[in-house]
Amino acid sequence: MKGILAALAAAGALMAAGGAWAQDKVVLGTNWLAQGGHGGFYQAVADGTYAKHGLEVEIRPGGPQVNNRPMLSAGRLDFIIAGNLLLSFDNVRNNIPTRVVAAFYQKDPQAVMAHAGAYPDFASLTKAPTVLMGKDGQFSFWKWMVADKGFKNEQLRPYNFNLAQFLGDPAMVQQAYGTAEPLYAKTEGAAVDTFLLADQGWTTYGGTIETRQQLIDENPELVQRFVDASIEGWYNYIYGDRSAAYAAIMAANPEMTVEKLDAEMAQFEALGIIDSGEALEKGIGALDEARIKDFHDLAVASGILEAGSVDLSKVADTRFVNKGTGLDLKAKLSAE
């Protein structure tokens, strides 16, 4: 009897440590090609954090010809990096049963940029003769910029995701992803000022993680393990040794280099996108229902959403975050 009990105890210990036979297979879809903005997830794969939590995680990159969003509701992915809350609101409006379970960016990286020194502050951008804006931006944050920040539709011109127009006109302003276009402009020799929309009142989270409501209902423990391991992965990526994650990202996207990844991460830190705000006390991944409602109300007031079109109770499930997960790991890594 003692031998059987010892064997069961040993088996339980192995399973708790992520023993080989206890690994649950999970597929995470990203919203773009492998990059530094996905670093914490690649870190958790590369350094064994997911395995420690009993998970075998496959990361499937998105890209210009890949839309991972439908793959979640179809059951081909278990989690996706969904971007900002507008996409989640849209799912609710269309009765797609997915939920946000974590937000790895406390600030949405959406921004506008101008040539360095051309405009002293964000408010002065309303006087720019031209603002380049992509189609998605025109139907989302641009509406808020017009309704709430004094921009005018007369300024608007289409952005074709080529910097040539901007680089050739020192008075021009354009849409930017805070960790992308400003770095591309720098490589072309142009110094820019980056104005993060989050710092001007655009309150959505970014880098949100969605999963199916079915998975939450049937296996909440797996969802918790994935969220916890991802949080630890991000702390290890930000404050620890990133080399294994870098290698994995570069293997998935050969256009990436150590220099590019270092520059991207420096921009994340400079803009305070990940470990900031609510994350400082509640841990990376933090979600707040009041903030979700605040952004919903902003979107309605700006004409982005129709009032009454979104049942806010179906947008997010905050049970998996806000527990201070990983703060001890951050303290340990920061002391080393």
Side-chain angles (χ1 to χ4, degrees):
M1 185 67 176
K2 289 183 179 179
I4 293 173
L5 291 174
L8 287 172
L14 281 173
M15 290 180 72
W21 69 84
Q23 302 291 299
D24 290 307
K25 292 186 178 180
V26 169
V27 184
L28 168 67
T30 74
N31 53 352
W32 198 247
L33 301 171
Q35 57 188 281
H38 306 145
F41 307 106
Y42 280 96
Q43 179 79 27
V45 172
D47 69 8
T49 298
Y50 283 133
K52 182 185 73 174
H53 285 265
L55 301 171
E56 180 184 334
V57 176
E58 175 191 350
I59 299 178
R60 292 185 188 170
Q65 307 301 324
V66 179
N67 182 6
N68 274 330
R69 290 189 64 76
M71 299 299 101
L72 178 64
S73 54
R76 296 176 63 182
L77 300 173
D78 300 298
F79 299 89
I80 61 167
I81 302 173
N84 64 44
L85 289 173
L86 289 177
L87 300 171
S88 305
F89 292 159
D90 196 51
N91 273 7
V92 174
R93 289 172 60 229
N94 289 288
N95 295 312
I96 298 172
T98 61
R99 287 283 189 100
V100 177
V101 293
F104 285 92
Y105 299 170
Q106 289 299 302
K107 296 181 181 180
D108 186 353
Q110 288 292 348
V112 289
M113 71 179 187
H115 291 267
Y119 302 93
D121 52 30
F122 184 77
S124 65
L125 300 179
T126 60
K127 298 179 173 61
T130 303
V131 179
L132 302 179
M133 191 70 53
K135 185 173 290 186
D136 287 347
Q138 291 175 32
F139 290 99
S140 57
F141 48 83
W142 175 255
K143 287 189 172 185
W144 164 75
M145 291 167 68
V146 170
D148 201 57
K149 297 298 175 181
F151 288 81
K152 301 175 181 63
N153 285 321
E154 291 76 14
Q155 297 174 275
L156 185 63
R157 298 292 182 276
Y159 174 42
N160 61 5
F161 296 92
N162 185 310
L163 290 183
Q165 281 182 277
F166 174 80
L167 294 174
D169 185 346
M172 189 170 284
V173 172
Q174 75 154 63
Q175 170 188 343
Y177 198 74
T179 59
E181 278 90 348
L183 300 181
Y184 304 156
K186 184 177 180 180
T187 64
E188 296 293 332
V192 300
D193 291 325
T194 302
F195 300 91
L196 204 65
L197 297 185
D199 293 336
Q200 311 303 324
W202 181 249
T203 54
T204 181
Y205 294 102
T208 58
I209 295 293
E210 287 183 1
T211 191
R212 292 184 303 282
Q213 183 63 51
Q214 180 185 9
L215 185 57
I216 294 174
D217 292 340
E218 294 179 356
N219 203 341
E221 186 265 347
L222 182 146
V223 176
Q224 187 69 71
R225 281 188 285 137
F226 177 80
V227 171
D228 287 348
S230 299
I231 291 169
E232 291 177 21
W234 271 106
Y235 279 119
N236 281 322
Y237 186 73
I238 294 172
Y239 299 105
D241 180 1
R242 303 174 195 152
S243 56
Y246 275 16
I249 292 169
M250 291 186 290
N253 181 5
E255 292 188 5
M256 281 294 161
T257 65
V258 170
E259 291 74 23
K260 287 181 179 179
L261 290 167
D262 279 344
E264 187 179 353
M265 199 57 213
Q267 192 77 343
F268 269 106
E269 292 172 352
L271 296 174
I273 288 173
I274 300 172
D275 192 14
S276 62
E278 298 155 38
L280 295 176
E281 292 187 0
K282 298 178 181 179
I284 287 175
L287 279 171
D288 181 70
E289 291 180 355
R291 180 170 165 186
I292 293 171
K293 182 182 185 302
D294 176 76
F295 181 67
H296 165 269
D297 294 348
L298 175 155
V300 169
S302 302
I304 302 168
L305 288 177
E306 183 180 347
S309 64
V310 176
D311 181 349
L312 287 175
S313 70
K314 297 181 178 179
V315 174
D317 190 329
T318 63
R319 288 179 293 167
F320 305 100
V321 291
N322 304 335
K323 302 175 182 180
T325 301
L327 290 178
D328 56 342
L329 177 59
K330 173 184 175 180
K332 176 184 175 183
L333 292 169
S334 298
E336 290 178 355

